[in-house]
Amino acid sequence: MSLVHSIALDETLEVDRVIDHIQGKEGGPTVVFFGGVHGNETAGVFALKETFKEIRSKNIPINGEVYAISGNLGALESRQRFKKEDLNRIWFPERIEHIVGNKEIHHNEENELSHLYKLIQDILKNSNPPFYFLDLHTTSSDTVPFMVLNDSLLNRKYASNYPLPIILGIEEYLKGALLSYINELGYVSLGFESGQHDDDKAVESCIDFIRYSLVLTQSVKVSEDEKEHLKKEISEYGRDTHTFYEIYHQHDIGPETSFKMYPGFINFQKISKGVGLALVDGVELKTTKKRQIFMPLYQEQGNEGFYFIRPIPKVLLWLSKKLRSFKVDHILVKLPGVQWESEKKDTLMVDQRIARFFAKSFLHLLGYRARKFDRSHLIAKNRESASRSSEYADAAWFQE
């Protein structure tokens, strides 16, 4: 049991790993909410506590199961993003094997991962599909609510039911995220960023997101009018509803680098050429052309200073859907310089000395997110082959 304090609400509550769990009628989905994966992001924890309390006090019928899970209990109690290492950057299969399989636990976050991993596996083993994993976060800068997800068609289709900006491609930059691990298992998984860490509106928007998610997944049944009302509650917090963005640049902060973001930047802000963004080792960093900034860093802990994003034209979203449906990537491996890196046929190795036409943007259309393997090769990972779309086929949102 840990004590968690909200600066926004000036309240403290006690939470365990499982904040709450409601077993409802058989035949429904299993919806898993995470809060506090970062210990300084308490809005999700308080919103989950409040929403589950409401469900119980009003005797709201639940179809299937719903879980509210706290992430980094140690960091939540000490009110810091993490204690030793970012819990949301260590979900690699090899790392999990060392921690869980070999019991090589060296610090708080590895212990937290061990408990969370076992809990997730228990849920997948003992509960019924379809499974939904929704991770609740906040940001250090001022922001409207938005969603972040790995780019699979299944994730896209589900997320498009929310009247919120949707960010694709973060998995190309953030390594070892919890949701990336879950998405590679084939399940719907997305992150919801509800607002600034210490803003009470972040808790309110988180509650609205949880309520609507329970309706969208058919865990809670309401009239169409009530569903539209809940959807409208979310849309009033946001901007550019149903707009998809992609991340195309991340500013990394090295271990010995001094980084200080200039004050006043907010998420989605458009910035002119030549504007100073931050001091990096005492040198001013300026934009070289017009940019749209995303998640500027205004906290001590963290290795990502900011991102640049751009809207994705609808025609490209449509084209990528068609290309993935036809499995064009299975034709590409017949070309020189392109081969499967994995026997699962979900990862491409691209020799750019030969396959010069393979830009990252083209791989993105096919559902791949690429990282440099060496100076001349790209490793590109596909999300589509793992997607368990058939498990969601009966869901109302899937059939629309």
Side-chain angles (χ1 to χ4, degrees), residues 9 140 151 172 250 334 358:
L9 302 176
S140 62
D151 186 12
E172 199 164 71
Q250 171 184 284
K334 299 182 184 299
F358 263 84

Side-chain angles (χ1 to χ4, degrees), residues 16-295:
D16 210 335
R17 177 71 61 201
V18 178
I19 299 169
D20 207 338
H21 168 224
I22 299 176
Q23 175 75 61
K25 298 177 184 177
E26 291 186 5
T30 302
V31 183
V32 181
F33 294 97
F34 299 100
V37 170
H38 291 134
N40 61 333
E41 300 176 20
T42 61
V45 175
F46 279 80
L48 286 168
K49 192 77 172 177
E50 178 63 28
T51 309
F52 277 66
K53 179 182 176 182
E54 177 185 57
I55 292 170
R56 292 187 179 279
S57 65
K58 294 183 178 179
N59 293 316
I60 298 173
I62 293 292
N63 300 306
E65 292 181 74
V66 290
Y67 283 86
I69 296 173
S70 56
N72 196 334
L73 287 171
L76 280 165
E77 188 151 47
S78 61
R79 304 182 196 177
Q80 56 190 140
R81 182 179 174 87
F82 55 85
K83 298 190 78 172
K84 182 68 176 180
E85 188 176 10
D86 194 327
L87 177 59
N88 209 29
R89 303 290 186 273
I90 60 175
W91 289 84
F92 299 102
E94 313 81 34
R95 186 83 179 266
I96 293 169
E97 178 58 30
H98 283 298
I99 295 169
V100 179
N102 301 336
K103 296 182 170 32
E104 297 177 10
I105 298 175
H106 301 101
H107 55 67
N108 174 75
E109 276 70 36
E110 291 187 340
N111 185 55
E112 302 283 358
L113 181 145
S114 177
H115 288 288
L116 283 169
Y117 175 84
K118 291 173 184 176
L119 178 55
I120 291 168
Q121 294 303 313
D122 284 344
I123 291 171
L124 292 174
K125 179 180 178 180
N126 299 314
S127 299
N128 295 315
F131 293 95
Y132 300 85
F133 293 89
L134 309 176
D135 193 7
L136 310 175
H137 285 267
T138 50
T139 66
S140 62
S141 61
D142 190 17
T143 186
V144 296
F146 61 92
M147 295 191 301
V148 180
L149 50 140
N150 288 359
D151 186 12
S152 70
L153 293 180
L154 179 62
N155 264 353
R156 272 198 216 174
K157 188 173 180 64
Y158 176 75
S160 63
N161 290 276
Y162 293 85
L164 292 166
I166 298 168
I167 313 297
L168 300 179
I170 198 164
E171 71 270 27
E172 199 164 71
Y173 299 94
L174 290 187
K175 302 176 183 179
L178 169 61
L179 290 182
S180 290
Y181 165 75
I182 293 173
N183 193 230
E184 288 186 9
L185 298 178
Y187 304 108
V188 167
S189 57
L190 59 85
F192 174 62
E193 304 274 356
S194 64
Q196 198 275 338
H197 295 329
D198 301 326
D199 189 345
D200 57 358
K201 291 179 182 177
V203 181
E204 294 173 19
S205 61
C206 221
I207 291 171
D208 289 335
F209 175 84
I210 296 166
R211 287 171 176 164
Y212 181 66
S213 298
L214 291 174
V215 170
L216 181 59
T217 57
Q218 297 175 290
S219 301
V220 173
K221 293 195 175 179
V222 298
S223 67
E224 280 300 313
D225 286 345
E226 178 61 16
K227 181 180 177 180
E228 286 304 309
H229 172 73
L230 291 170
K231 188 174 183 178
K232 185 179 178 183
E233 289 288 308
I234 295 176
S235 66
E236 289 177 352
Y237 288 110
R239 52 159 287 165
D240 298 339
T241 59
H242 296 109
T243 297
F244 282 81
Y245 294 87
E246 69 168 344
I247 295 172
Y248 66 92
H249 173 76
Q250 171 184 284
H251 180 81
D252 293 310
I253 303 173
E256 304 299 324
T257 301
S258 169
F259 178 88
K260 182 70 173 178
M261 194 81 201
Y262 285 161
F265 292 108
I266 61 175
N267 267 346
F268 302 99
Q269 181 178 347
K270 294 179 180 178
I271 302 170
S272 302
K273 177 182 177 181
V275 172
L277 297 176
L279 282 177
V280 181
D281 291 333
V283 178
E284 185 176 52
L285 180 65
K286 293 184 178 182
T287 53
T288 57
K289 57 177 67 175
K290 289 183 180 179
R291 304 291 190 186
Q292 190 165 7
I293 201 165
F294 179 63
M295 294 184 74

Side-chain angles (χ1 to χ4, degrees), residues 319-339:
L319 179 59
S320 70
K321 181 178 178 180
K322 294 299 181 183
L323 291 173
R324 296 181 201 190
S325 299
F326 293 131
K327 296 186 177 180
V328 172
D329 54 336
H330 286 249
I331 300 172
L332 295 178
V333 291
K334 299 182 184 299
L335 299 175
V338 185
Q339 63 185 41

